[in-house]
């Protein structure tokens, strides 16, 4: 992260690794919000977390992991391990979404999910993103950012007036439905740029 020499005027896109690291921070903040939310606000905060996780993990699966698989040393193994972690977290997320925030197990499950998701994020940062940054060009990483940004637009984490109405209802339903929708949008965005 020390090698950044950005020339904002020449940057069409951000570096995909920077975008994903920023999302990891947002995910951690949203876990905090859900944990601290009073009961009546918990469902809404949890929905924002589910949306962000759906777009983040789908963007990684569609854009970043396939690229890392081909580009980094030992990519096959690194990415298979990350996908296994993602799938495990996804199973729990789907169970929690189905049970709802009123479920007596909710906060216990949330702590388990948080530990799993954050451990997974640390492994990505350590074993995947560092190598991706070292073994790809800035232009490659900017091109990959388009898919992540397209997905991110579906999941406003701090809705503002105006922005909220423009993006409202883009991502609704079960986590699986959200991931399907995010996948469509990402594939469209990458098709356009690629
Ligand atoms: Fe991930
Ligand atoms: Fe991630």
């Amino acid at each position: 992260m020390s090698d950044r020499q950005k020339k904002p005027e020449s940057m069409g896109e951000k570096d995909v690794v920077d975008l994903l690291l920023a999302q990891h921070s947002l995910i951690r903040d949203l876990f905090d919000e859900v944990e601290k939310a009073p009961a009546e606000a918990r469902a809404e905060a949890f929905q924002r977390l589910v949306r962000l996780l759906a777009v983040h993990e789908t963007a990684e699966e569609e854009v970043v992991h396939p690229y890392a698989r081909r580009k980094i040393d030992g990519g096959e193994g690194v990415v298979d391990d990350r996908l296994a972690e993602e799938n495990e977290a996804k199973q729990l997320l789907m169970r929690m979404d189905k049970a709802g925030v009123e479920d007596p197990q909710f906060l216990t499950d949330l702590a388990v999910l948080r530990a799993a998701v954050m451990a997974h994020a640390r492994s990505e940062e350590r074993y995947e993103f560092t190598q991706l940054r070292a073994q790809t060009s800035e232009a490659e990483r900017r091109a990959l950012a388009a898919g992540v940004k397209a997905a991110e637009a579906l999941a406003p984490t701090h809705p503002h007036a105006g922005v909220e109405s423009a993006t409202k209802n883009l991502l609704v339903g079960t986590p699986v439905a959200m991931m399907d929708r995010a996948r469509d949008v990402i594939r469209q965005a990458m098709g356009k740029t690629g």
Side-chain angles (χ1 to χ4, degrees):
M1 268 172 276
S2 56
D3 64 341
R4 276 187 277 168
Q5 295 174 326
K6 294 196 167 174
K7 296 176 213 137
E9 71 280 6
S10 67
M11 299 242 319
E13 295 285 0
K14 284 185 178 171
D15 184 316
V16 72
V17 174
D18 289 338
L19 283 178
L20 294 174
L21 293 177
Q23 288 185 349
H24 284 176
S25 300
L26 276 175
I27 288 167
R28 193 178 45 234
D29 292 348
L30 270 177
F31 271 110
D32 280 346
E33 269 192 55
V34 180
E35 279 171 10
K36 289 173 190 158
E40 68 276 11
R42 194 173 284 157
E44 187 274 330
F46 183 60
Q47 271 305 295
R48 278 187 287 137
L49 175 65
V50 173
R51 274 206 299 267
L52 181 59
L53 285 173
V55 304
H56 176 78
E57 301 300 348
T58 305
E60 288 175 341
E61 284 167 22
E62 286 293 312
V63 179
V64 182
H65 295 332
Y67 207 76
R69 197 186 272 286
R70 297 197 307 273
K71 284 280 181 166
I72 69 176
D73 293 337
E76 293 281 349
V78 169
V79 169
D80 284 347
D81 288 351
R82 298 299 79 75
L83 287 173
E85 293 161 0
E86 278 169 22
N87 282 330
E88 210 182 306
K90 230 181 259 181
Q91 299 303 319
L92 177 54
L93 184 66
M94 289 190 286
R95 284 203 302 277
M96 289 175 68
D97 186 72
K98 208 169 172 193
V101 298
E102 308 287 341
D103 189 272
Q105 275 290 309
F106 179 79
L107 285 174
T108 311
D109 288 344
L110 187 70
V112 174
L113 182 71
R114 179 181 189 139
V117 166
M118 296 325 294
H120 164 67
R122 281 193 299 276
S123 294
E124 284 177 335
E125 292 173 14
R126 193 169 305 161
Y127 303 115
E128 185 176 2
F129 297 171
T130 309
Q131 289 198 68
L132 199 64
R133 186 109 72 176
Q135 296 175 29
T136 57
S137 69
E138 202 181 337
E140 284 174 286
R141 296 193 303 277
R142 286 210 303 263
L144 295 176
V148 176
K149 283 175 82 170
E152 193 173 62
L154 296 170
T157 49
H158 295 287
H160 306 293
V163 174
E164 185 186 23
S165 58
T167 51
K168 217 172 192 173
N169 297 325
L170 283 176
L171 223 47
V172 293
T174 63
V176 172
M178 292 182 191
M179 289 180 241
D180 285 346
R181 170 84 176 121
R183 193 171 294 113
D184 288 345
V185 167
I186 292 162
R187 288 184 180 175
Q188 266 184 19
M190 296 311 281
K192 272 182 217 155
T193 57

